[in-house]
Amino acid sequence: MTASSTFQNLPAEKRRRILDGALDEFAAGGYGGASLNALVAKLGISKGSIFQYFGDKAGLFRAVFNHAVELVVELLRQVRGASQGQDLASRLLQSLAAGLALIQGQPRLFQLYLRIMFEDGAPFRGEMLAAVRAFSRQYMLDLLEDAARAGELRPGLNLEAAVFVLDAVLERFLVAHSQEHLDGGLGLFAAGHELAADKAAVVVETLLAGLGARPC
Amino acid sequence: MTASSTFQNLPAEKRRRILDGALDEFAAGGYGGASLNALVAKLGISKGSIFQYFGDKAGLFRAVFNHAVELVVELLRQVRGASQGQDLASRLLQSLAAGLALIQGQPRLFQLYLRIMFEDGAPFRGEMLAAVRAFSRQYMLDLLEDAARAGELRPGLNLEAAVFVLDAVLERFLVAHSQEHLDGGLGLFAAGHELAADKAAVVVETLLAGLGARPC
Amino acid sequence: MTASSTFQNLPAEKRRRILDGALDEFAAGGYGGASLNALVAKLGISKGSIFQYFGDKAGLFRAVFNHAVELVVELLRQVRGASQGQDLASRLLQSLAAGLALIQGQPRLFQLYLRIMFEDGAPFRGEMLAAVRAFSRQYMLDLLEDAARAGELRPGLNLEAAVFVLDAVLERFLVAHSQEHLDGGLGLFAAGHELAADKAAVVVETLLAGLGARPC
Amino acid sequence: MTASSTFQNLPAEKRRRILDGALDEFAAGGYGGASLNALVAKLGISKGSIFQYFGDKAGLFRAVFNHAVELVVELLRQVRGASQGQDLASRLLQSLAAGLALIQGQPRLFQLYLRIMFEDGAPFRGEMLAAVRAFSRQYMLDLLEDAARAGELRPGLNLEAAVFVLDAVLERFLVAHSQEHLDGGLGLFAAGHELAADKAAVVVETLLAGLGARPC
DNA sequence: GATGAATGAGTGTTCATTCAT
DNA sequence: CATGAATGAACACTCATTCAT
């Protein structure tokens, strides 16, 4: 628990409004770039209150992060069970779809993650990234182990490496779509205009089949 | 060309010192976090000069970026030719090694790239990222096309997707190593202690052979 | 009486806790530097109560001062009678010893006095200092008059001046010892390492015998 | 040297105005109570300038202190030589007179000294007090040693103790007069209305002759 | 062309005080 | 009667930018 009891005693609706506004602010400007002045102006509350609630900027940031994690976990929990029993390609595609939906529904969550990822000054950066990465890796590992049990995986596959590859590629896929407004869409199939789902299918197939010619 | 002629007329050594110091500053704090006050103090030049040379903070930033791109391109040009004619796996591994060497030799270049990548406020972010990404994609495409000519690639491979996958995985590999001081090294083979080269070999092999069982 | 009846109706123990905590706070930071926010956090009581009890910060300060005076008077009352009938030098030394003991036992009392002494913004400063000084002067005057009756004093001695000298020197002696952690102990016999008692003896003897050569 | 070169380059008149205003501010409110906002408003300069000149509040404080010391030393240097060769009582009286004149002419200097003396939070307090005390003690010691050579002192007099007594009494004399507006004049000859010079004469005579009856 | 003094809006943070509950 | 959420002015300090010299 990091926010003061003062904050905990607030009506839920007000709590949500504050954390939501702060999430906006941090997502837009990163930790250093977020302005508490701008935040309280937007929220229509006094500056003193922020400090009463969270002690300092870092405290607010931590609270926002925890809030964001809750949002994500809640969302993913709903997605998780649905694909049980299906083959790996399908599950990966559904995971990507869930990720894309999350980005579209709550763009600031993903934005916050990206902002913090490389901002040296952000407090708790280590913990925060570790938490996200651990979750992501465990998720991939679960999928792969299920697939292994179903005999879907290439014999001799290094699971650690596979998790790494999946993590990297899927995250980059999400990044590319969250930044497609930028010049050239950052290059993912830049020329084409297929739907994201089609792109995802090709990428997943490429990952499963590999790049190299088969010696068999 | 964005820097004023005043700057162009400076002795090359002084130009280099200024751009180098500014690169440090931007790499350390991102665009928003960089302080011109701190910069001029470090450089021992007058504050007015910065504005005479570059107009404003954004102008300095653009000059630094151009300077950084030059450094990288020069470095990679040296690396490029060496692996001509070898097989794809070797060339990918050598590219990774070159990337790691670059990170170790010029850590601020990679740092700047990462900082800017997700900092909304940074001017020219779009152009800058597009330039870097285009270079990176072209590099991968060259490798893949050579490999295709040599019959190393799986028939039916979607080149665009393959480029995307390579770009994502190789960049993530570099990021993981540049941030390995962070909690858990951000999870790359977190348990093991092999050398980076060994990790790279396993990852590349996984990419080439694919994750899935071969139907053949 | 300045504290509200609400405060008077509190259980004695709670009253004492509050005044004691406030004494700490004022002694540590002076009037201006004391923080009511910090105080209530330390005490675990609500902020509103302080204002209910004392009206405002100045009211609390006055109450603390009265409380402090009570503590001192009570302490000195115990010390007073003991030296009756002894010679002046002994009584002065015992007074100094009592002062030193007080400083060691209740350092915050002396600290508060010193802090307030020269802090212009402190309310009631005049009254407070006058009270303390009047007490101190009366104490010295009592000793001197007893000594006069016993024929211990130099004929022609100006009692007012003697009181002034004693007051100044004895207080400075206490200050020096309460600040001996500061650079050079503020210079009291800085080189030597005798015990405080020895230093006191020399000082008292110097006062009694005077600095000048005796014409007699 | 503690103030930045920026400050050193200012016209002397402006430097003087700034240090003088700051001296006022610190003397009135102590270190903690002084407001840089109020200061710059009073001076009619911008807030940024203060920080450009002195780095931070503590830097300004140090500069003010150094400035104050210079003022005092300059003043005392003028006073010093004049009393050479006279007897101890005369020299002490002239010293007191000089002190009183200083307090009247530059009341803020003495005020600053008193404020800082017991304000825990003030930076450099140790150094500052040590400097002042060392000067004061050395001054007294000089007088006493001259008097000793002239055979004016009581044989067996402990010089250290005598210095301590003189320092304490003379300083208190000055304090009493600088605070005589306070309730009861803090008790120095409170009833009477003689001139300060008369009071000083009695006090000095008391010190020289001692309080006790002479056994001779 | 180079300098660096000046600026004022901006930052996060603390404070004594109020008042509805 | 006690509470503690709310407040906004004040705090020290940093910033990119300007412009007279």
Side-chain angles (χ1 to χ4, degrees), chain B residues 61-73:
Chain B
F61 184 63
R62 162 171 269 153
V64 165
F65 174 68
N66 291 337
H67 170 65
V69 166
E70 278 171 30
L71 285 180
V72 173
V73 167

Side-chain angles (χ1 to χ4, degrees), chain A residues 3-11 15 49 52-54:
Chain A
S4 80
S5 71
T6 299
F7 184 67
Q8 305 301 339
N9 292 342
L10 253 39
R15 281 207 312 268
S49 291
Q52 189 138 67
Y53 300 156
F54 305 104

Side-chain angles (χ1 to χ4, degrees), chain C residues 4 36-37 40 46-57:
Chain C
S4 78
L36 298 191
N37 286 338
V40 298
S46 81
K47 218 177 324 191
S49 292
I50 290 291
F51 289 86
Q52 189 126 53
Y53 298 156
F54 306 104
D56 58 7
K57 194 183 186 182

Side-chain angles (χ1 to χ4, degrees), chain A residues 138-186:
Chain A
Q138 189 56 50
Y139 185 87
M140 296 299 163
L141 198 54
D142 288 349
L143 290 191
L144 285 177
E145 284 173 343
D146 285 352
R149 273 189 288 275
E152 293 185 78
L153 296 189
R154 173 170 62 83
L157 179 68
N158 181 317
L159 271 193
E160 289 265 26
V163 163
F164 176 75
V165 164
L166 283 181
D167 202 23
V169 172
L170 268 55
E171 182 180 302
R172 172 68 88 87
F173 193 88
L174 298 182
V175 169
H177 276 83
S178 83
Q179 298 189 333
E180 65 188 343
H181 64 285
L182 285 185
D183 216 344
L186 297 184

Side-chain angles (χ1 to χ4, degrees), chain A residues 103-166:
Chain A
I103 286 179
Q104 221 145 18
Q106 300 271 8
R108 302 148 326 141
L109 287 179
F110 196 65
Q111 227 172 87
L112 179 66
Y113 165 64
L114 296 179
R115 297 295 307 237
I116 265 42
M117 193 160 176
F118 301 110
E119 189 179 339
D120 268 356
F124 324 123
R125 184 158 77 103
E127 315 167 32
M128 289 171 57
L129 292 184
V132 173
R133 283 282 163 86
F135 179 88
S136 163
R137 289 182 63 244
Q138 189 56 50
Y139 185 87
M140 296 299 163
L141 198 54
D142 288 349
L143 290 191
L144 285 177
E145 284 173 343
D146 285 352
R149 273 189 288 275
E152 293 185 78
L153 296 189
R154 173 170 62 83
L157 179 68
N158 181 317
L159 271 193
E160 289 265 26
V163 163
F164 176 75
V165 164
L166 283 181

Side-chain angles (χ1 to χ4, degrees), chain A residues 70-106:
Chain A
E70 279 172 30
L71 286 179
V72 173
V73 166
E74 196 170 346
L75 257 158
L76 290 184
R77 205 163 275 160
Q78 298 167 4
V79 176
R80 185 172 325 201
S83 63
Q84 200 80 357
Q86 306 177 18
D87 64 43
L88 180 58
S90 304
R91 301 185 80 183
L92 287 174
L93 288 175
Q94 287 170 58
S95 300
L96 271 179
L100 289 175
L102 177 57
I103 286 179
Q104 221 145 18
Q106 300 271 8

Side-chain angles (χ1 to χ4, degrees), chain B residues 129-151:
Chain B
L129 292 184
V132 172
R133 285 280 164 86
F135 179 88
S136 164
R137 289 181 62 244
Q138 189 56 50
Y139 185 88
M140 296 300 164
L141 198 55
D142 288 349
L143 291 191
L144 285 176
E145 285 172 343
D146 284 353
R149 273 188 289 275

